[in-house]
Amino acid sequence: MGVSTIHGAESFYEFLRPSHREKKAFVCNGSACMCAGTQEPLKKKLQEKLGDDKVGEMFCLGHCYENNAFHYDGENYAGNDINKIDQIIKGEDIVQEKFFSKSYASTSFLMDDKLSNLDQFNEQLKKFIATDKQEITKSLLDSNLTGRGGAGFPTGMKWDFCRKAPSEKKYVICNADEGDSGAFSDRYLLEDQPLKVLFGMVICGYVIGSDEGVLYIRGEYPKSIEAINGAINSLKKAGLLGENILGTKFSFDLNICIGQGAYICGEETALIASIEGRRAEVDVRPPFPVTEGLYKKPTVVNNVETLAAATGILINGADKFSAIGNKKSAGTKLVCFDSFFNNPGVYEVEMGTPMKKVLNDIGGGFKEPIKALQIGGPLGGVIPITEIEKLNLDFQEFTAAGFMLGHASIVSIPKDFPMVEYIHHLFEFSAEESCGKCFPGRLGSYRGKEMFDQAKNKTAKIPLKLLNELLVTMQKGCLCALCGAIPTPIMNILKYFGDEMKDDMVKDN
Ligand SMILES: Cc1cc2nc3c(=O)[nH]c(=O)nc-3n(C[C@H](O)[C@H](O)[C@H](O)COP(=O)(O)O)c2cc1C
């Protein structure tokens, strides 16, 4: 391999850049922490301790339940742990509070303890690797489970397509690159329900005829990597992973690939490129991974929550899952609340539940006035509080109203947070994270960021006509949803909060 090939791949990733490697601590610069205004004070304190050039930023450490976090030497800490920075630097163990989690579902598929030890894993595995493969895919189809990673493809159909793809070698990939600010639900499953996630992968391997799975876990989640690594090792020791599992002909092994700070690696084709060691650029589909995925072999790529839900469905029964919600938005979903809620944490909620109930009864309402929520990560809609209360927790309802439920992460935007700054943050994010392959995304996100740099600095007004043309071009012309969907929240803000862009900030053309 030429040095240029290696440099091309390596220079793609934030963590591998010399400018990143020289730093010691990183402040979370996710949307939730930005809204809470915790980043600058935390950065200042870390700089005082470590030096100005030793403190960088990381996009979302999954501590949105406290809107305040930093990373030091391979570990994530709550923002308030800055008070223990001397102990942290000395390498002493810091007791960290766990975030709150609770199921509000009539049947819990994701938070129960029916698959929380090796004996239960053994018992269920014995049962399901003796079950007809088509019967398993039928269960998933009957359950109406759709992918929880954002695209919402029916999981049973995905497994069945891959099962039918002719190939000696196939792969199962767990997409654990949860980069959406506001989301820590995959983190919850990886750390608190690792066996449920791994069981979903093993059964998927059995169904499609694969002997190898990879978990792509973001490097920003060190505890998740540790938990999954521990679970894989204990399964291997117990003979529940590896060659001829439980004395059958079925062999299946798992490995972890650790992300290096690139949001786009959550997109399945970029994720596959990343595992293969290529620059993590998005690929055109078709072919879809189920026919041509990792190393061009048929591959199922599923989100962490999808795999855990598949496990829950097999154990509890497809009928119980499909009885909740409707055909296109069935079963239960994890929803995360940031620290603006009175009850921050991760909750299992039934699809179809009115959002009013989700936010006020489960989330406990807000600690301070909130004007909007960004739901579904940086690419999801920005929804005024008055609009959100008209919706139910339902993928289709959100889309029909011009928003996106996505992975159901929630970022609260306080009443006095300037929306110009929020749009600037979104453009800055897409400019930084665009894979650079398609020019509407690569150039459009930078051009948008420039416009809002100038508006913030008051050096030029925002040309509204040009901005609208730019957003439509990105929506229609981008290769993937990173730069193709970022116009959605920006258009929502212009529609609902346009008044905030005062006359001295915008011009018509
Ligand atoms: C920019 C971008 C980022 C994405 N990030 C994630 C992610 O972090 N986790 C995830 O599971 N899916 C993510 N997806 C969706 C994946 O491409 C893919 O649809 C998903 O992993 C399929 O799994 P599912 O069917 O279980 O949802 C992302 C998509 C895009 C366009």
Side-chain angles (χ1 to χ4, degrees):
M1 216 180 251
V3 173
S4 58
T5 312
I6 295 167
H7 179 72
E10 189 198 33
S11 58
F12 188 89
Y13 298 96
E14 176 68 29
F15 295 178
L16 304 181
R17 290 179 197 150
S19 55
H20 182 97
R21 287 180 171 181
E22 283 155 11
K23 303 209 162 58
K24 285 189 167 172
F26 302 87
V27 172
C28 176
N29 69 346
S31 319
C33 289
M34 178 189 72
C35 284
T38 53
Q39 294 162 338
E40 280 312 310
L42 189 55
K43 198 169 187 181
K44 227 172 162 187
K45 284 184 188 164
L46 284 165
Q47 281 171 336
E48 279 165 15
K49 203 78 205 166
L50 304 165
D52 283 2
D53 54 344
K54 294 291 178 229
V55 184
E57 292 171 344
M58 276 188 188
F59 190 79
C60 203
L61 299 174
H63 276 244
C64 316
Y65 47 90
E66 50 197 358
N67 292 58
N68 194 8
F70 67 98
H71 180 100
Y72 180 84
D73 198 20
E75 291 289 339
N76 289 344
Y77 296 94
N80 289 339
D81 285 343
I82 188 70
N83 301 323
K84 300 175 191 155
I85 189 70
D86 290 327
Q87 289 160 263
I88 292 171
I89 292 172
K90 277 190 213 150
E92 289 174 18
D93 270 346
I94 299 292
V95 181
Q96 295 217 37
E97 268 178 46
K98 192 82 202 141
F99 52 87
F100 189 75
S101 56
K102 184 174 174 180
S103 178
Y104 274 86
S106 48
T107 303
S108 174
F109 295 86
L110 299 162
M111 291 186 159
D112 62 293
D113 56 5
K114 292 195 194 102
L115 204 83
S116 54
N117 60 49
L118 292 180
D119 287 341
Q120 291 168 329
F121 197 101
N122 189 334
E123 191 187 322
Q124 295 295 341
L125 194 60
K126 212 180 267 170
K127 176 174 167 195
F128 284 104
I129 59 175
T131 303
D132 181 65
K133 295 172 181 185
Q134 289 183 49
E135 212 176 287
I136 295 177
T137 50
K138 186 176 178 305
S139 273
L140 292 184
L141 284 169
D142 290 347
S143 73
N144 295 326
L145 171 66
T146 51
R148 297 319 200 206
F153 193 80
T155 309
M157 217 184 266
K158 191 181 270 191
W159 289 23
D160 212 33
F161 283 150
C162 201
R163 183 181 69 79
K164 288 176 183 153
S167 178
E168 287 284 297
K169 183 79 189 174
K170 297 181 187 179
Y171 293 97
V172 179
I173 294 178
C174 170
N175 187 341
D177 198 45
E178 179 177 68
D180 288 353
S181 203
F184 43 97
S185 41
D186 287 353
R187 198 188 137 202
Y188 160 78
L189 292 168
L190 295 165
E191 293 172 20
D192 282 32
Q193 301 278 357
L195 291 181
K196 258 196 195 135
V197 180
L198 300 184
F199 188 83
M201 289 186 81
V202 177
I203 291 301
C204 178
Y206 164 71
V207 167
I208 66 169
S210 160
D211 64 354
E212 197 174 341
V214 183
L215 292 111
Y216 192 95
I217 311 180
R218 64 199 299 259
E220 291 89 339
Y221 280 5
K223 278 205 169 59
S224 306
I225 296 165
E226 198 183 306
I228 288 293
N229 203 23
I232 291 176
N233 285 338
S234 51
L235 287 172
K236 282 185 183 174
K237 257 193 208 153
L240 299 169
L241 269 183
E243 295 285 314
N244 303 109
I245 297 172
L246 296 169
T248 65
K249 284 190 189 147
F250 173 56
S251 300
F252 191 76
D253 214 343
L254 284 171
N255 286 298
I256 299 174
C257 180
I258 303 173
Q260 293 298 307
Y263 178 84
I264 194 61
C265 288
E267 195 282 333
E268 60 187 10
T269 61
L271 185 154
I272 286 169
S274 180
I275 298 176
E276 290 176 356
R278 294 185 280 130
R279 260 178 99 78
E281 288 177 345
V282 170
D283 274 330
V284 179
R285 292 171 307 175
F288 289 94
V290 280
T291 50
E292 205 177 299
L294 188 59
Y295 303 114
K296 299 213 180 296
K297 301 294 177 198
T299 303
V300 163
V301 183
N302 268 145
N303 171 253
V304 173
E305 189 176 326
T306 313
L307 290 161
T311 301
I313 289 163
L314 294 178
I315 291 175
N316 292 288
D319 51 337
K320 286 212 173 105
F321 196 83
S322 65
I324 302 170
N326 59 51
K327 198 161 190 251
K328 290 192 170 164
S329 292
T332 61
K333 174 88 201 74
L334 295 184
V335 177
C336 301
F337 298 128
D338 64 19
S339 77
F340 284 104
F341 283 86
N342 284 310
N343 303 331
V346 57
Y347 298 85
E348 183 175 10
V349 183
E350 297 195 345
M351 294 301 305
T353 310
M355 285 307 293
K356 211 171 177 171
K357 186 172 173 196
V358 174
L359 303 178
N360 297 326
D361 296 356
I362 302 176
F366 300 101
K367 290 174 188 156
E368 63 177 85
I370 296 296
K371 64 180 164 195
L373 302 174
Q374 184 169 28
I375 302 191
L379 322 177
V382 169
I383 316 174
I385 289 292
T386 44
E387 296 299 310
I388 186 83
E389 293 189 343
K390 297 176 190 162
L391 298 173
N392 296 309
L393 187 73
D394 182 297
F395 295 109
Q396 284 67 37
E397 268 190 41
F398 269 65
T399 308
F403 311 115
M404 188 182 87
L405 180 57
H407 199 42
S409 57
I410 301 181
V411 170
S412 307
I413 307 177
K415 193 164 172 264
D416 54 2
F417 191 92
M419 283 305 201
V420 167
E421 263 183 48
Y422 207 87
I423 298 185
H424 179 265
H425 166 71
L426 294 172
F427 270 131
E428 190 176 43
F429 171 79
S430 54
E432 178 60 34
E433 298 297 338
S434 156
C435 75
K437 185 157 177 175
C438 71
F439 75 84
R442 184 176 69 236
L443 303 182
S445 52
Y446 260 97
R447 189 68 193 97
K449 179 184 164 313
E450 277 167 17
M451 278 183 202
F452 281 81
D453 277 341
Q454 290 169 343
K456 266 180 71 179
N457 301 337
K458 300 202 184 324
T459 49
K461 290 185 177 184
I462 301 161
L464 264 188
K465 185 166 174 282
L466 194 64
L467 173 63
N468 280 320
E469 285 173 5
L470 178 79
L471 292 170
V472 172
T473 307
M474 287 175 74
Q475 244 179 358
K476 294 195 171 165
C478 287
L479 194 52
C480 85
L482 201 171
C483 299
I486 206 103
T488 306
I490 297 173
M491 285 171 163
N492 293 154
I493 295 176
L494 293 172
K495 176 175 172 186
Y496 293 106
F497 298 96
D499 286 353
E500 276 192 33
M501 327 258 160
K502 299 185 196 84
D503 289 345
D504 60 334
M505 230 178 232
V506 294
K507 57 181 183 178
D508 287 338
N509 52 40

